[in-house]
Amino acid sequence: EKISGDSSFSHSLAFCQALEKLSNTNVPARARYLRVIYAELERLANHFGDIGTIMMDTGFNFGGSQGARLREIVMQINERITGSRFLRNANMIGGVSKGMDEIEKSELSLELENISKDFSEVIAVAENSTSLLNRLKGTGVLSARIAKNHGVVGVAGKAVGISNDTRVDYPYAAYDELLFDEVATEHDGDVYARFRVRIKEAFASIKIIQDALGKLPEGYVNTPNLEVVFKKNALAISMVEGWRGEIVYFVTTDAEGNITRVAPRDPSFINWAVLRDAGFDNVIPDFPLINKSFNLSYSGNDL
């Protein structure tokens, strides 16, 4: 959960999924749906924050303050439901530690309706600002060729038309049972394209959460009376689509069934390499804007 703090839930989910595979642990249906809900709340909060700070870095203070406000709304929802603004300690082997009752379901659904309307109004104002768009369009262009050569993932890849998304390509939790529109992509590879991918993903997250709330099955939120025994001389690979992109965990055990290696890969480890290409031949004042449009993790890279 501390490898990349703003991706605490996605990292812990990837790790738990690997351990569940190594121990043949079944995750209850309700827990799989709750994992989707929590993962999308994490994505929503971070995309709202990034959308706001991208606008703030152009001097568009209205957009910056609105993004921060919307992010804070989601962070408070996280804390109310799970006890943690960053959804820490929500995952466990065999499911989740925090459930959701009917009142919480109804409250969250209503809040998401209001958030969607609120967010739509903010984006409408932003898209009508010529000065904002002039700063975003054509700035920090990453070519599709460079992105593909480096295996770029997540928002940066989707902004050049790479439609890879683990939630679709290798569904986990309950993603294969929920509404998921086509993967959000753009094609120009500039700051504006990365900005637009985040906007599309934010709306998609709200839709996915609402669908999960409507279909949330009854039952346990984790496997009761769980005694975890890992397979011997085994390995497991787990992938989760974090809000920055694909998170991968490689876990192995020895002849005694003890975990011997945990190798995580945060999307930042891949995407940091192309930031220089996006920044090349841009004016110096635009670098903070370009950097924020990627918003990569330092700790996620330095593994």
Side-chain angles (χ1 to χ4, degrees):
E1 293 181 333
K2 300 296 180 65
I3 285 175
S4 185
D6 53 19
S7 302
S8 290
F9 188 83
S10 294
H11 268 279
S12 63
L13 176 56
F15 183 51
C16 284
Q17 286 182 163
L19 300 188
E20 287 156 3
K21 185 176 180 65
L22 286 170
S23 58
N24 288 330
T25 300
N26 292 319
V27 179
R30 188 175 181 85
R32 291 189 294 106
Y33 275 75
L34 287 169
R35 281 179 168 179
V36 169
I37 292 169
Y38 298 159
E40 294 305 319
L41 284 171
E42 180 177 76
R43 189 184 322 278
L44 199 57
N46 284 288
H47 279 341
F48 281 160
D50 278 359
I51 289 165
T53 50
I54 287 172
M55 291 191 282
M56 183 68 77
D57 279 355
T58 70
F60 191 60
N61 293 341
F62 166 81
S65 61
Q66 296 305 313
R69 179 179 62 82
L70 288 166
R71 178 180 183 274
E72 178 60 23
I73 290 173
V74 179
M75 297 295 277
Q76 289 183 14
I77 290 172
N78 292 346
E79 184 172 27
R80 187 182 74 235
I81 294 174
T82 70
S84 169
R85 289 167 59 83
F86 290 93
L87 301 165
R88 290 175 183 153
N89 298 315
N91 270 314
M92 59 181 290
I93 301 174
V96 294
S97 61
K98 308 291 184 180
M100 188 181 301
D101 60 30
E102 290 301 315
I103 294 176
E104 289 172 322
K105 278 177 53 181
S106 298
E107 288 178 347
L108 178 55
S109 180
L110 179 59
E111 285 173 310
L112 288 172
E113 288 180 16
N114 294 332
I115 288 171
S116 181
K117 181 176 181 295
D118 197 344
F119 183 53
S120 296
E121 293 173 353
V122 171
I123 296 305
V125 173
E127 293 284 6
N128 196 43
S129 172
T130 302
S131 61
L132 173 64
L133 299 183
N134 282 343
R135 288 293 305 280
L136 302 184
K137 292 184 177 180
T139 302
V141 176
L142 177 68
S143 72
R145 177 182 61 83
I146 290 175
K148 290 175 182 176
N149 285 345
H150 284 80
V152 168
V153 297
V155 172
K158 292 169 184 174
V160 298
I162 300 173
S163 59
N164 296 342
D165 192 303
T166 312
R167 295 171 293 175
V168 176
D169 301 332
Y170 306 99
Y172 54 93
Y175 280 107
D176 58 343
E177 302 170 31
L178 297 169
L179 294 174
F180 195 104
D181 295 334
E182 61 183 27
V183 176
T185 58
E186 293 287 333
H187 296 279
D188 292 336
D190 55 5
V191 172
Y192 182 65
R194 293 185 283 276
F195 180 75
R196 287 297 310 173
V197 167
R198 284 181 168 85
I199 292 170
K200 290 179 180 180
E201 286 207 345
F203 281 120
S205 289
I206 293 172
K207 185 174 181 179
I208 292 168
I209 296 170
Q210 291 283 34
D211 190 35
L213 289 171
K215 296 177 179 177
L216 187 62
E218 297 295 328
Y220 293 110
V221 298
N222 54 60
T223 302
N225 303 317
L226 182 65
E227 293 184 10
V228 181
V229 178
F230 297 120
K231 300 175 187 176
K232 299 176 181 179
N233 292 320
L235 67 86
I237 297 174
S238 172
M239 299 190 301
V240 165
E241 188 72 16
W243 65 273
R244 281 192 180 92
E246 180 187 83
I247 295 170
V248 182
Y249 271 67
F250 177 89
V251 184
T252 64
T253 60
D254 61 15
E256 303 299 322
N258 299 312
I259 295 174
T260 54
R261 185 181 183 192
V262 178
R265 194 213 67 192
D266 188 85
S268 299
F269 183 77
I270 294 176
N271 290 0
W272 269 117
V274 301
L275 183 59
R276 63 175 186 178
D277 296 288
F280 182 74
D281 207 26
N282 285 262
V283 296
I284 290 176
D286 276 341
F287 179 74
L289 177 59
I290 298 167
N291 184 43
K292 181 52 67 176
S293 74
F294 281 81
N295 193 14
L296 303 176
S297 169
Y298 297 99
S299 60
N301 178 72
D302 297 336
L303 297 174

